[in-house]
Amino acid sequence: PSQVQNMIVSTSDNSIRVKCEAPRDINGPGGLYHLEVEAGNTLVRNVSQSKCDFLVNNLQYSTYYSFK
């Protein structure tokens, strides 16, 4: 598929929300959206769901996270 559209990322105290719309070109049956959250080289969350609306709670302060 092509890239997702209209991605919006919002934060609050110790959480982050990632929302997006479907890609223009899906190239097959509708699938799942995946979000991986890493702290350093450690995978701390790996979520798959049918809707692109992810809420990640309980993030630790002063920690660098990578979202893919």
Side-chain angles (χ1 to χ4, degrees):
S2 59
Q3 291 185 351
V4 296
Q5 303 292 304
N6 302 318
M7 181 179 292
I8 298 171
V9 178
S10 55
T11 60
S12 63
D13 293 328
N14 63 339
S15 66
I16 189 168
R17 185 174 200 166
V18 179
K19 295 178 74 173
C20 64
E21 296 176 6
R24 275 195 201 121
D25 302 313
I26 296 177
N27 300 328
L32 295 174
Y33 296 92
H34 305 279
L35 178 68
E36 294 181 358
V37 182
E38 295 178 343
N41 292 325
T42 304
L43 181 65
V44 294
R45 302 268 172 86
N46 186 6
V47 183
S48 297
Q49 55 193 44
S50 60
K51 186 176 180 184
C52 185
D53 188 356
F54 297 93
L55 178 62
V56 181
N57 289 316
N58 301 318
L59 297 172
Q60 300 296 313
Y61 291 100
S62 300
T63 302
Y64 176 79
Y65 291 96
S66 171
F67 296 86
K68 301 177 184 177

